[in-house]
Amino acid sequence: MDLKLLRRRNEFEWEISPHGKMRVPAVIYASEDLIRAMDEKVYEQICNVATLPGVVKEVYAMPDAHWGYGFPIGGVAAFDPDEGGVVSAGGVGFDISCGVRLLRTGLRASELHKVREDLAEALFRNIPAGVGSKSHIRLSGEELDNVLLGGARWAVSRGYGFPEDLNFIEENGQVKGARPEEVSPRAKERQRPEMGTLGSGNHYLEVQDVAELFDEEAARTLGLKKNEVVISIHCGSRGLGHQIGTDFLKEMALAASRAGLELPDKELACAPINSPVGQSYLGAMRAAINCALANRQMITHFTRQVFKEFFPGTKLELVYDVSHNTCKEEWHNVEGRRRKLFVHRKGATRAFGPGHCELPYELQKIGQPVFIGGSMGTGSYVLVGMKTSEERSFNSACHGAGRAMSRTQAIRKFQGNKIVHDLKARGILIRSPSFRGVAEEAPDAYKNVDTVVDSAERAGLAKKVAKLTPLICIKG
Amino acid sequence: MTSADRQKRWEHFSHDADIGVRGIGPTMKDAFEMAATALTAVITNPQSVRPQTAISIACSAPDRDFLLYEWLNHIIYELDTRRMLFSKFEIESISETTLQATIYGETVDLSHHKPAVDVKGATMTELKVSEENGHWLAQCVVDV
């Protein structure tokens, strides 16, 4: 991106002043190097978001921002329903409530060494991953509606995990206001064979080593110890969320056109929050959030079963579960006034600071955990929300490393089997149904996650707690 | 191969996080069929998919851009719910707003097809159906 387009507020904060139809300024949080490498489309898209009705204060792009659909991936914007604010299907994305959860095992990395090949195989066999993979579970129509209402709470009630898990999931594992009746029969049909599956693309289950600690106190609170093993699970609402995205993108685009709402990009299709289409989407989207929470809870259960075979007596405890494609109703202070807003986070993680009323008691002192997935070869990070994130970004932080290269470029440049071989030589085991899929997710196809996370911290969004490096990656 | 067949082709184009599918041909029908082949090629080599089972598809939309969006999303729905891949697309009738087709394919065989990625949905990003000098183009970015 051309730096001349931006006004530098400080080292990690860049402003785009309102111009054209923009109602509010846009702000990008990133280092100068990341800004220079950032796609011009991020500029265009974040400016487009700032034109939407009812947008509040400023719109934001996170340090990992890249070209998305309507919204940039790594885009954050809040809307006030009382000022004509909108909800946008493109602002949430197709993989509704895609997110990451982290489990701690209490095992030393050295304890894993002897069994790691067998463990990788067992995880690959028991966690359905990739295209066409089938779940062992088939839900009736009524039971699927229970999933959409109950989320992770439904999963726990059916024996997938423990009640104490719910304490460490956003909204305690169940988003209120879900309306399964607003979810199309096609969306439900797509989900039927997919409950408890990881999916494909950038989704994964990774066994990781806590390689480095940056904040001892926060790490202690989260039960993270150096050289111990943790597990990251990255997936979302599967076919149900994808179909809800497809259905409402079209419905909102047509409704906007009927209402004479001029959109700078079809993909920014949206509807007033206080309108039948807006309410219908919110009901369906919340159902998809619950679906994703139940899905990650079920995969957690399968993972625990596998670990029990190898390490009897080991308890895999949930550190936390975050979603990074959502629109959530939240209270925020804006210019001294407490306002109920609908915060869109497209490829961005909620990052409540210490003391936030929605955090469980155990996390009050440190803030909300934020999990940043890097690429297969590099590593991931655990951060916690900072007090300043309220003022800076409606309590939001980045979600990943962000792609540096498109899939088409990655396939041309990398060979999946070579990547698997090279990573094995570095002690990282990859299991995937597709070498091409591995090539598309090649470590070098992503930005440097260290730089992204440093920018998030120095911009006052979230603070580094630990770096995790991969040992085993089950790639969907 | 007729000269019309030679003018038909598909290709992928780059998008930061995802991938674009594009069909090109002498008619709108050809461009739509080729765009569907490009969609399969996101997942696997279309030549590896045997056209064994036929599925009927009918869709309608307010204009031809939305019609392409609907066409590709209908195929994605069939891919997902039937666990199938498709390699032959025969559009029997097409207008600016409606389409009737039969698509042919087979159940996914993981070891044979080695599917790389699920397609979540066709998007409205770079969505375009256009005609210039007798060449039709149908394209959009698909979310994977």
Side-chain angles (χ1 to χ4, degrees):
Chain A
M1 189 181 294
D2 185 355
L3 295 181
K4 288 201 282 290
L5 297 167
L6 313 167
R7 187 180 75 80
R8 193 171 196 162
R9 284 182 179 172
N10 61 46
E11 199 180 347
F12 292 91
E13 192 172 337
W14 308 74
E15 182 191 310
I16 305 166
S17 308
H19 59 272
K21 292 181 177 168
M22 283 171 74
R23 297 166 194 255
V24 293
V27 175
I28 307 176
Y29 291 109
S31 65
E32 185 172 329
D33 286 348
L34 283 172
I35 293 272
R36 283 186 193 280
M38 210 173 263
D39 197 314
E40 298 281 345
K41 287 275 183 187
V42 172
Y43 177 90
E44 190 185 306
Q45 291 190 322
I46 202 74
C47 290
N48 285 342
V49 173
T51 68
L52 295 178
V55 64
V56 173
K57 194 180 160 191
E58 290 171 333
V59 296
Y60 303 103
M62 299 292 110
D64 54 336
H66 51 277
W67 182 20
Y69 309 102
F71 274 55
I73 294 163
V76 175
F79 297 86
D80 187 337
D82 296 331
E83 292 184 0
V86 293
V87 58
S88 165
V92 173
F94 282 84
D95 200 356
I96 298 169
S97 194
C98 180
V100 184
R101 63 165 50 190
L102 187 73
L103 308 166
R104 57 179 172 253
T105 68
L107 296 163
R108 307 285 299 169
S110 53
E111 290 177 75
L112 209 80
H113 196 75
K114 261 198 289 188
V115 298
R116 63 199 189 104
E117 288 275 355
D118 292 337
L119 179 64
E121 284 306 317
L123 287 168
F124 189 48
R125 253 195 331 270
N126 288 285
I127 314 287
V131 185
S133 56
K134 288 184 187 143
S135 171
H136 336 289
I137 298 140
R138 285 287 183 286
L139 300 180
S140 68
E142 192 186 338
E143 193 67 339
L144 185 57
D145 281 357
N146 291 335
V147 173
L148 304 186
L149 286 169
R153 199 166 282 277
W154 167 86
V156 168
S157 75
R158 296 294 186 271
Y160 301 105
F162 312 114
E164 54 269 34
D165 293 338
L166 300 172
N167 203 26
F168 298 99
I169 305 175
E170 291 182 5
E171 281 85 23
N172 296 110
Q174 180 189 30
V175 171
K176 303 274 188 303
R179 290 165 65 190
E181 68 277 15
E182 300 295 348
V183 177
S184 71
R186 289 171 85 82
K188 291 177 181 174
E189 196 54 38
R190 275 179 82 170
Q191 190 59 24
R192 238 173 254 284
E194 296 189 348
M195 280 313 295
T197 64
L198 205 53
S200 67
N202 61 359
H203 294 154
Y204 59 78
L205 180 148
E206 214 166 73
V207 180
Q208 301 160 323
D209 176 26
V210 179
E212 203 175 343
L213 295 179
F214 305 98
D215 180 334
E216 297 279 348
E217 193 206 336
R220 215 173 11 256
T221 305
L222 297 175
L224 300 176
K225 292 185 188 149
K226 198 170 173 202
N227 296 327
E228 283 197 353
V229 175
V230 293
I231 299 158
S232 285
I233 299 168
H234 177 216
C235 63
S237 52
R238 310 288 291 114
L240 183 112
H242 307 166
Q243 190 65 39
I244 291 171
T246 300
D247 293 342
F248 278 94
L249 196 58
K250 184 182 156 205
E251 196 170 336
M252 286 180 172
L254 296 176
S257 151
R258 279 195 302 271
L261 183 64
E262 215 178 293
L263 296 172
D265 177 350
K266 269 189 199 142
E267 200 79 33
L268 272 182
C270 56
I273 293 159
N274 292 331
S275 73
V277 178
Q279 286 299 311
S280 165
Y281 175 70
L282 284 169
M285 183 211 56
R286 288 166 180 154
I289 292 179
N290 283 334
C291 179
L293 297 179
N295 199 39
R296 289 198 285 276
Q297 187 65 32
M298 290 167 87
I299 294 171
T300 299
H301 176 69
F302 303 147
T303 309
R304 283 171 171 159
Q305 284 180 319
V306 171
F307 266 74
K308 208 158 74 182
E309 296 286 311
F310 288 84
F311 303 101
T314 302
K315 206 174 167 201
L316 271 54
E317 290 171 317
L318 183 56
V319 178
Y320 204 67
D321 178 298
V322 299
S323 295
H324 48 229
N325 287 345
T326 57
C327 172
K328 290 193 173 176
E329 193 175 337
E330 295 168 9
W331 288 89
H332 287 279
N333 286 321
V334 182
E335 286 141 12
R337 193 154 64 91
R338 199 99 182 112
R339 288 164 77 177
K340 187 177 77 176
L341 303 175
F342 285 72
V343 183
H344 292 65
R345 296 186 181 90
K346 170 76 191 88
T349 313
R350 193 167 80 179
F352 286 144
H356 196 283
C357 60
E358 290 209 22
L359 290 174
Y361 167 76
E362 295 86 340
L363 302 177
Q364 282 287 327
K365 261 179 93 172
I366 61 166
Q368 176 179 336
V370 171
F371 304 130
I372 310 299
S375 64
M376 286 184 291
T378 51
S380 303
Y381 279 88
V382 178
L383 295 87
V384 283
M386 294 161 80
K387 276 266 185 210
T388 40
S389 70
E390 160 88 65
E391 170 68 21
R392 302 275 151 87
S393 58
F394 297 113
N395 293 117
S396 310
C398 49
H399 87 307
R403 290 194 76 95
M405 188 184 291
S406 72
R407 286 173 189 278
T408 37
Q409 285 170 305
I411 298 166
R412 278 198 294 271
K413 194 160 176 190
F414 307 114
Q415 283 177 299
N417 53 354
K418 188 170 182 310
I419 292 168
V420 171
H421 181 266
D422 291 352
L423 289 174
K424 190 174 178 186
R426 288 170 43 201
I428 304 166
L429 302 179
I430 307 292
R431 293 290 182 278
S432 172
S434 161
F435 280 136
R436 198 183 107 187
V438 172
E440 290 185 12
E441 294 296 319
D444 292 336
Y446 281 83
K447 288 178 198 161
N448 181 340
V449 68
D450 302 335
T451 327
V452 168
V453 166
D454 282 341
S455 284
E457 182 172 77
R458 298 192 59 190
L461 308 179
K463 186 165 172 268
K464 285 196 287 188
V465 176
K467 180 171 184 176
L468 315 172
T469 54
L471 299 167
I472 297 169
C473 177
I474 309 300
K475 210 205 79 59
Chain B
M1 189 187 276
T2 65
S3 69
D5 283 338
R6 272 195 293 274
Q7 291 167 30
K8 288 196 279 190
R9 63 191 169 86
W10 61 265
E11 61 193 25
H12 290 151
F13 61 95
S14 279
H15 175 274
D16 262 16
D18 293 300
I19 195 162
V21 297
R22 181 179 289 146
I24 296 163
T27 65
M28 183 168 149
K29 166 184 173 303
D30 294 326
F32 270 55
E33 289 174 352
M34 286 289 116
T37 308
L39 176 70
T40 298
V42 171
I43 308 164
T44 190
N45 177 1
Q47 287 171 348
S48 72
V49 182
R50 290 168 298 182
Q52 287 175 330
T53 306
I55 311 286
S56 290
I57 285 188
C59 38
S60 60
D63 61 33
R64 63 192 190 198
D65 285 357
F66 273 108
L67 191 64
L68 178 69
Y69 177 84
E70 285 288 302
W71 162 237
L72 296 177
N73 278 317
H74 270 69
I75 297 169
I76 291 164
Y77 175 77
E78 299 297 341
L79 283 167
D80 223 17
T81 51
R82 296 177 191 272
R83 294 288 180 270
M84 285 179 72
L85 291 164
F86 300 100
S87 55
K88 190 173 157 196
F89 305 91
E90 284 183 356
I91 296 178
E92 287 122 23
S93 66
I94 188 167
S95 70
E96 293 275 308
T97 56
T98 62
L99 177 160
Q100 177 78 46
T102 307
I103 64 174
Y104 301 82
E106 62 175 323
T107 305
V108 178
D109 175 340
L110 294 181
S111 58
H112 175 60
H113 298 118
K114 296 186 174 58
V117 74
D118 268 320
V119 180
K120 295 172 191 165
T123 76
M124 292 180 193
T125 298
E126 305 284 309
L127 174 66
K128 187 163 84 171
V129 177
S130 63
E131 189 258 325
E132 207 172 309
N133 303 326
H135 288 282
W136 280 84
L137 178 149
Q139 69 168 44
C140 74
V141 170
V142 295
D143 191 352
V144 296

